[in-house]
Amino acid sequence: FTTICEFKGTASYWDYVNNQERIENIAWEYKKPNSGYENLQNKLAFYPSKADACFVGDEKVEAQESWYRDHSD
Protein backbone atom coordinates (compact mmCIF):
# COMPACT_ATOMS: atom_id res chain seq x y z
CA PHE A 1 0.00 0.00 0.00
CA THR A 2 1.41 3.39 -0.99
CA THR A 3 0.22 6.98 -1.24
CA ILE A 4 1.76 9.95 -3.01
CA CYS A 5 2.42 13.39 -1.57
CA GLU A 6 3.16 15.94 -4.28
CA PHE A 7 5.83 17.47 -2.02
CA LYS A 8 7.45 14.56 -0.15
CA GLY A 9 7.01 11.73 -2.65
CA THR A 10 5.70 8.17 -2.33
CA ALA A 11 4.94 6.85 1.16
CA SER A 12 5.03 3.14 2.00
CA TYR A 13 3.07 1.82 4.97
CA TRP A 14 4.02 -0.55 7.79
CA ASP A 15 1.99 -2.95 9.91
CA TYR A 16 2.66 -3.79 13.56
CA VAL A 17 2.52 -7.53 14.17
CA ASN A 18 3.13 -9.60 17.28
CA ASN A 19 1.84 -13.01 18.35
CA GLN A 20 -1.51 -11.59 19.53
CA GLU A 21 -2.42 -8.73 17.19
CA ARG A 22 -1.88 -6.99 13.88
CA ILE A 23 -2.34 -3.26 13.38
CA GLU A 24 -2.35 -2.45 9.69
CA ASN A 25 -0.85 0.77 8.35
CA ILE A 26 0.21 2.06 11.77
CA ALA A 27 3.24 3.84 10.31
CA TRP A 28 4.60 5.17 7.03
CA GLU A 29 7.93 6.12 5.53
CA TYR A 30 9.39 7.85 2.50
CA LYS A 31 12.06 5.46 1.20
CA LYS A 32 13.21 7.92 -1.48
CA PRO A 33 11.76 11.33 -0.58
CA ASN A 34 11.71 14.15 -3.10
CA SER A 35 14.38 16.82 -3.16
CA GLY A 36 14.18 19.04 -0.09
CA TYR A 37 12.75 16.26 2.10
CA GLU A 38 15.79 14.00 2.29
CA ASN A 39 15.76 14.25 6.11
CA LEU A 40 12.63 12.04 6.09
CA GLN A 41 14.50 9.07 4.60
CA ASN A 42 14.92 6.07 6.96
CA LYS A 43 12.40 7.46 9.46
CA LEU A 44 8.96 6.17 10.38
CA ALA A 45 5.93 8.32 11.22
CA PHE A 46 3.09 6.81 13.26
CA TYR A 47 -0.65 7.33 13.50
CA PRO A 48 -1.13 7.95 17.25
CA SER A 49 -4.80 7.00 16.95
CA LYS A 50 -3.80 3.42 16.08
CA ALA A 51 -1.63 2.91 19.17
CA ASP A 52 -2.47 2.63 22.87
CA ALA A 53 -0.10 5.56 23.48
CA CYS A 54 2.39 7.51 21.40
CA PHE A 55 5.20 9.69 22.79
CA VAL A 56 7.72 12.15 21.41
CA GLY A 57 10.35 12.15 24.10
CA ASP A 58 8.39 12.42 27.35
CA GLU A 59 5.41 14.17 25.77
CA LYS A 60 2.30 12.13 24.96
CA VAL A 61 0.97 12.79 21.47
CA GLU A 62 -2.78 13.24 21.00
CA ALA A 63 -4.35 12.23 17.71
CA GLN A 64 -6.00 14.98 15.71
CA GLU A 65 -9.14 14.47 13.66
CA SER A 66 -8.30 14.25 9.98
CA TRP A 67 -9.41 12.58 6.79
CA TYR A 68 -6.14 10.59 6.67
CA ARG A 69 -6.53 9.21 10.17
CA ASP A 70 -10.11 8.27 9.61
CA HIS A 71 -9.42 6.58 6.25
CA SER A 72 -6.00 5.02 6.77
CA ASP A 73 -7.35 1.47 7.22
Side-chain angles (χ1 to χ4, degrees), residues 21-70:
E21 68 178 318
R22 176 186 195 99
I23 304 172
E24 294 183 352
N25 305 322
I26 193 170
W28 70 95
E29 72 170 326
Y30 294 94
K31 292 179 182 178
K32 293 181 181 179
N34 291 340
S35 178
Y37 294 92
E38 295 87 357
N39 62 329
L40 298 177
Q41 190 168 9
N42 300 319
K43 295 184 174 76
L44 293 177
F46 289 83
Y47 288 106
S49 62
K50 291 188 171 228
D52 292 336
C54 187
F55 290 84
V56 175
D58 293 333
E59 184 177 346
K60 186 176 182 183
V61 177
E62 298 295 332
Q64 297 179 23
E65 293 295 323
S66 74
W67 184 90
Y68 294 104
R69 190 195 93 190
D70 297 336

